[in-house]
Amino acid sequence: MESYAILRDLAVIILSAKFMAILAKKCKAPGVVGEILAGLIIGPLLLNIVQPGDFISKMAEIGVILIMFSAGLETNLKELKKSGPIALLIACAGVAVPLGGGLLLYLCMHGFPAPGTDGFFRGLFIGCIMTATSVGITVEALRELGFLKGRVGQTILSAAIIDDVIGIIVLTFVLGLRDPASNTLLVVGKTLLFLVISLAGGIVIYKLMKLVDARYPHTRRIPIIGLGLCFIMSYAAEKYFGIADITGAYVAGIILCNIRDAGYIDRKVSINSYMIFAPIFFVGIGLKTDLSGVDSSMLLFSVGFVLVALVSKVIGCGLMAKICRFHNLDCIKIGVGMMTRGEVALIITNKGLNMGVLDSSYFTAVILLIIVSSVSVPILLKLLYAKHPDPEVE
Amino acid sequence: MESYAILRDLAVIILSAKFMAILAKKCKAPGVVGEILAGLIIGPLLLNIVQPGDFISKMAEIGVILIMFSAGLETNLKELKKSGPIALLIACAGVAVPLGGGLLLYLCMHGFPAPGTDGFFRGLFIGCIMTATSVGITVEALRELGFLKGRVGQTILSAAIIDDVIGIIVLTFVLGLRDPASNTLLVVGKTLLFLVISLAGGIVIYKLMKLVDARYPHTRRIPIIGLGLCFIMSYAAEKYFGIADITGAYVAGIILCNIRDAGYIDRKVSINSYMIFAPIFFVGIGLKTDLSGVDSSMLLFSVGFVLVALVSKVIGCGLMAKICRFHNLDCIKIGVGMMTRGEVALIITNKGLNMGVLDSSYFTAVILLIIVSSVSVPILLKLLYAKHPDPEVE
């Protein structure tokens, strides 16, 4: 008879999340920041109105999966192929340098644990958190400035999308390392097998869905079948390949991103996401944030974490852009544009928390990174473009 | 780490529900019937792929609440007031006769337990299940025939909407009786208090929402605030007034049904509903259906239940229509049009199951009623209209 008690929690979560998101946007910060703050406020840390629990955490899991499915659906494969080669190089450097930087930071602060130990693994994980650029925040910042369609803007966009994929592959690889029963070869093998099966199965599913879509365009069955595929692939990825369920959701989105109703599916899924599930995910992070473990060394780590995450992206992406013969200031623009971190960093941290690799005090560092990067990047880009506007635009 | 296991259940539920709903519609039955059958097939009764559990049942609860919120939002208060008086009389008769009929049927089959006993209460509950007409199925049947806009069609529509409200008030009243600590006066008092507070608070909320809506039309905050209100009122109804949470959701919908973006909220809520939550509710009923308790007496009861439910509606509504001076054949049309039962009957049965008043074998009777009524009513209406078409239409 107590099932109605969750209704109160849901109401508090979605209303406080929306309120804080609006407030955040008024302060020129992304809405996501507001939603996390809402969780900090209503959770055990402050008001203690809502406590994290099994139901909330399962709803949050669905929330992340919907976000990643949506990101997959919004992938523009053609665009990706066109601006591909250079963006791929920039993305690779933009993953490799922060990964190394994060690992090095952790090792420096913890007396260089040897490869294979838990400490080393934790360091790798910290590196993983730093890899993925937040496509959403970057795109919004560039669009507001009016430079999204220029060469630099397009390169940033493509690289940000690609580094999500690479970041997730790296994460999958690192996660696989954790399993004591598996050796590295097995992890690589399983990851490759997943990609091969996804590719082969994906082509078949894509063709089938195209047929269904041609026959029943804009009907409810299209998004429902899409969502079903997303859930199945998320489950299968985790259950049979030891790959993160969010990877499965992302791949499901990519499989469907070229059918005619991809946008239609995305709209329906997004409504489910923003009305209920995504706020639960972001608020849930705030709910789970635990500052009892934060001491001076953790604070020191957080500051170092933010600095390394920001600087390593600029160095990695900027240098690679220079090698690809971009103008000096454009190199800096690309590096700065790639600095934003968002959902994916949180998702990876959450994964680490669920696996027991990290404790919840690490959220502090990640939340700090998201706030600092998403507030500073739009401002920095504005200054850089004022100094050296993109000649092709207008 | 096991939170991804629910993804498999969700995928199976939404895909099988959609598949069976399409199949049902191909057989001219309403989709709801297909979704319940999907639950029977994938549940413990047959294939045992998905088992009912805590998470599923909470998601199902949200599903019912969204359905009722949507029904409230779709209420046309003006239309209701216009065709009101006559429709109100017809609705009252259409609630009273089945309520009495259901009670009498149960009492006859169980040796007439005295008022105040558990048996009498169960009989009253059976009567409650018979009261509410399924607006959706009726409207769809009339719309397909092209007679929704005629006088008879409008009367059926209004009466079907009103009898939902009356049915839920009666249910609330009956549910309140169950609480041993409360006396009838307290139940009536609490119900009245809820209505008064809802009315007073509702007017304030309505005016506030109108202001917000005028300032931020068609923004995400509108449906989110609406949904938040729905959850709060559902929770408050159950927690503080001992009234069914679905009543709270319905009233929340009615409060917002006249703001300009009511349709906008309804569309967003409906997408959440049909993509995930509503299928879980209907499939969940199938999952919970337990035929182990069905013996010959239960079967006999089921047949009696269906007959009494159908005949009592025709008698109640038809006779009242006759008193209101409708043409003889139009009286029969009104009676037949009101025969359909759907979601609300299931919702009430589910409530009874959760409260321990009914056991799950009663779903058999209700499912039989839904299938028989929703298949036969469109056919009967077609025959009646062929014999005596509505002169005002065309």
Side-chain angles (χ1 to χ4, degrees):
Chain A
M1 261 310 280
E2 240 207 46
S3 67
Y4 68 87
I6 48 145
L7 297 171
R8 190 190 69 109
D9 290 356
L10 288 182
V12 174
I13 289 174
I14 65 171
L15 291 178
S16 66
K18 191 68 208 166
F19 178 76
M20 290 300 291
I22 292 172
L23 210 67
K25 278 182 190 160
K26 284 229 189 297
C27 307
K28 309 277 174 213
V32 174
V33 177
E35 297 191 358
I36 298 166
L37 289 178
L40 293 172
I41 294 170
I42 63 172
L45 195 66
L46 286 174
L47 301 181
N48 202 18
I49 304 173
V50 177
Q51 293 80 36
D54 186 53
F55 183 75
I56 300 283
S57 92
K58 279 177 178 161
M59 292 286 277
E61 185 82 10
I62 299 174
V64 203
I65 280 168
L66 295 185
I67 293 170
M68 296 306 290
F69 182 48
S70 222
L73 282 169
E74 284 162 23
T75 305
N76 187 335
L77 282 183
K78 269 186 198 158
E79 197 71 43
L80 209 66
K81 279 179 200 157
K82 213 173 70 189
S83 56
I86 289 177
L88 178 64
L89 287 175
I90 293 175
C92 282
V95 166
V97 180
L99 182 68
L103 175 62
L104 212 65
L105 171 74
Y106 185 84
L107 297 184
C108 281
M109 294 184 78
H110 292 83
F112 293 92
T117 59
D118 270 10
F120 191 86
F121 182 73
R122 192 171 297 131
L124 262 182
F125 212 95
I126 303 281
C128 276
I129 297 173
M130 294 188 180
T131 57
T133 300
S134 163
V135 194
I137 297 170
T138 306
V139 169
E140 225 166 275
L142 286 167
R143 194 183 285 134
E144 268 179 47
L145 290 168
F147 288 108
L148 185 59
K149 307 228 155 163
R151 187 178 162 224
V152 172
Q154 280 303 301
T155 306
I156 295 177
L157 176 58
S158 299
I161 291 169
I162 297 173
D163 89 351
D164 257 28
V165 185
I166 300 178
I168 288 177
I169 291 176
V170 171
L171 170 70
T172 304
F173 188 74
V174 171
L175 284 179
L177 289 176
R178 175 68 170 180
D179 192 353
S182 77
N183 56 46
T184 315
L185 216 69
L186 193 65
V187 174
V188 178
K190 268 185 170 182
T191 309
L192 282 177
L193 192 65
F194 177 74
L195 289 177
V196 169
I197 291 179
S198 297
L199 192 72
I203 291 171
V204 176
I205 293 167
Y206 168 69
K207 300 228 155 147
L208 280 175
M209 270 303 276
K210 240 178 134 171
L211 286 178
V212 177
D213 194 19
R215 199 146 164 206
Y216 308 100
H218 275 57
T219 51
R220 290 182 177 186
R221 68 190 74 179
I222 304 293
I224 290 175
I225 295 173
L227 189 62
L229 176 72
C230 160
F231 287 151
I232 290 173
M233 287 197 61
S234 308
Y235 175 75
E238 185 109 34
K239 175 87 180 175
Y240 303 112
F241 299 93
I243 286 173
D245 50 4
I246 47 173
T247 313
Y250 189 77
V251 173
I254 289 180
I255 289 173
L256 299 180
C257 76
N258 265 348
I259 72 167
R260 225 171 31 186
D261 266 341
Y264 182 73
I265 300 177
D266 189 27
R267 280 196 298 282
K268 303 298 169 191
V269 170
S270 296
I271 290 169
N272 279 284
S273 181
Y274 80 69
M275 292 268 295
I276 302 188
F277 294 102
I280 297 180
F281 173 65
F282 292 115
V283 169
I285 285 160
L287 290 180
K288 276 191 270 179
T289 302
D290 178 9
L291 292 187
S292 62
V294 177
D295 46 20
S296 57
S297 85
M298 192 67 215
L299 261 182
L300 186 68
F301 171 79
S302 293
V303 175
F305 178 83
V306 172
L307 284 176
V308 170
L310 298 183
V311 172
S312 61
K313 264 288 177 194
V314 178
I315 292 177
C317 298
L319 278 186
M320 188 52 87
K322 184 72 203 160
I323 294 171
C324 298
R325 310 230 204 131
F326 274 88
H327 180 281
N328 275 349
L329 267 171
D330 284 346
C331 293
I332 302 178
K333 277 185 215 158
I334 290 175
V336 168
M338 298 285 289
M339 276 185 353
T340 48
R341 306 301 206 289
E343 303 88 60
V344 181
L346 286 172
I347 291 167
I348 296 177
T349 313
N350 196 46
K351 199 89 218 167
L353 184 71
N354 285 344
M355 286 185 67
V357 184
L358 306 177
D359 62 68
S360 54
S361 62
Y362 280 90
F363 273 120
T364 326
V366 177
I367 291 169
L368 197 66
L369 171 61
I370 293 173
I371 295 173
V372 171
S373 70
S374 48
V375 171
S376 64
V377 166
I379 300 169
L380 288 174
L381 280 179
K382 208 170 172 177
L383 292 173
L384 286 166
Y385 269 106
K387 229 177 178 175
H388 182 256
D390 204 326
E392 294 152 58
V393 180
E394 267 168 298
Chain B
M1 265 308 282
E2 239 206 45
S3 65
Y4 67 87
I6 47 145
L7 298 171
R8 190 191 68 110
D9 290 357
L10 288 181
V12 174
I13 288 174
I14 64 172
L15 290 178
S16 66
K18 192 68 209 167
F19 178 76
M20 289 300 292
I22 292 172
L23 210 67
K25 278 181 191 160
K26 282 227 189 301
C27 307
K28 308 280 175 211
V32 174
V33 178
E35 297 191 358
I36 298 166
L37 289 178
L40 294 172
I41 294 170
I42 64 172
L45 195 67
L46 285 174
L47 300 181
N48 201 18
I49 303 172
V50 177
Q51 293 80 34
D54 186 51
F55 183 75
I56 299 281
S57 91
K58 279 177 179 160
M59 293 285 279
E61 185 83 9
I62 299 173
V64 203
I65 281 169
L66 295 186
I67 293 170
M68 295 306 289
F69 182 48
S70 221
L73 283 169
E74 284 163 23
T75 305
N76 187 334
L77 282 182
K78 270 186 199 160
E79 196 70 44
L80 211 63
K81 281 178 198 157
K82 213 173 70 187
S83 55
I86 288 177
L88 178 64
L89 287 175
I90 292 174
C92 282
V95 166
V97 179
L99 182 66
L103 175 61
L104 211 66
L105 171 73
Y106 186 83
L107 297 183
C108 281
M109 293 184 79
H110 291 82
F112 292 92
T117 59
D118 270 10
F120 191 85
F121 182 73
R122 191 170 298 130
L124 262 182
F125 212 95
I126 303 281
C128 277
I129 297 173
M130 293 186 180
T131 59
T133 300
S134 162
V135 193
I137 297 170
T138 305
V139 169
E140 226 166 274
L142 285 168
R143 195 183 283 132
E144 270 181 46
L145 289 170
F147 288 109
L148 185 60
K149 307 229 156 165
R151 188 177 162 224
V152 172
Q154 280 303 302
T155 306
I156 294 177
L157 177 57
S158 299
I161 291 169
I162 297 173
D163 90 352
D164 257 26
V165 185
I166 300 178
I168 287 178
I169 291 176
V170 170
L171 171 69
T172 305
F173 188 75
V174 171
L175 285 179
L177 289 176
R178 174 69 171 182
D179 192 354
S182 76
N183 55 46
T184 315
L185 217 67
L186 192 67
V187 174
V188 177
K190 271 186 167 180
T191 309
L192 282 177
L193 192 66
F194 178 74
L195 289 177
V196 169
I197 292 180
S198 296
L199 192 70
I203 291 172
V204 176
I205 294 168
Y206 168 69
K207 299 228 156 144
L208 280 176
M209 270 304 276
K210 240 180 134 170
L211 286 178
V212 177
D213 194 20
R215 200 145 165 209
Y216 308 100
H218 275 57
T219 52
R220 288 183 179 186
R221 67 191 73 180
I222 304 293
I224 290 175
I225 295 174
L227 190 61
L229 177 72
C230 160
F231 286 152
I232 290 174
M233 287 198 60
S234 308
Y235 175 75
E238 184 109 33
K239 175 87 179 174
Y240 303 111
F241 299 93
I243 286 172
D245 52 4
I246 47 173
T247 312
Y250 189 77
V251 173
I254 288 179
I255 289 174
L256 299 180
C257 76
N258 265 348
I259 73 166
R260 225 170 32 184
D261 266 342
Y264 182 72
I265 301 177
D266 189 28
R267 279 195 299 283
K268 302 299 170 191
V269 170
S270 296
I271 290 168
N272 278 284
S273 179
Y274 80 69
M275 292 268 295
I276 302 187
F277 294 103
I280 296 180
F281 172 65
F282 293 116
V283 170
I285 286 161
L287 291 180
K288 277 191 269 181
T289 302
D290 179 8
L291 292 187
S292 62
V294 177
D295 46 19
S296 57
S297 85
M298 191 68 214
L299 261 183
L300 186 68
F301 171 80
S302 295
V303 174
F305 178 84
V306 172
L307 283 177
V308 170
L310 298 182
V311 172
S312 61
K313 266 286 179 197
V314 177
I315 291 176
C317 298
L319 276 185
M320 188 54 85
K322 185 71 203 164
I323 294 171
C324 297
R325 308 226 208 138
F326 275 88
H327 181 282
N328 276 350
L329 266 171
D330 285 346
C331 293
I332 301 178
K333 276 185 216 161
I334 291 175
V336 168
M338 299 286 288
M339 276 186 353
T340 47
R341 305 301 205 289
E343 304 89 60
V344 182
L346 286 173
I347 290 168
I348 297 177
T349 313
N350 196 45
K351 198 89 218 168
L353 184 70
N354 286 343
M355 288 185 66
V357 184
L358 306 178
D359 62 69
S360 54
S361 62
Y362 280 90
F363 273 122
T364 326
V366 177
I367 291 169
L368 196 66
L369 171 59
I370 294 173
I371 295 173
V372 172
S373 70
S374 48
V375 170
S376 64
V377 167
I379 299 169
L380 287 174
L381 280 179
K382 206 169 175 179
L383 292 174
L384 285 165
Y385 270 105
K387 227 176 178 176
H388 182 256
D390 203 326
E392 294 152 58
V393 180
E394 270 169 298

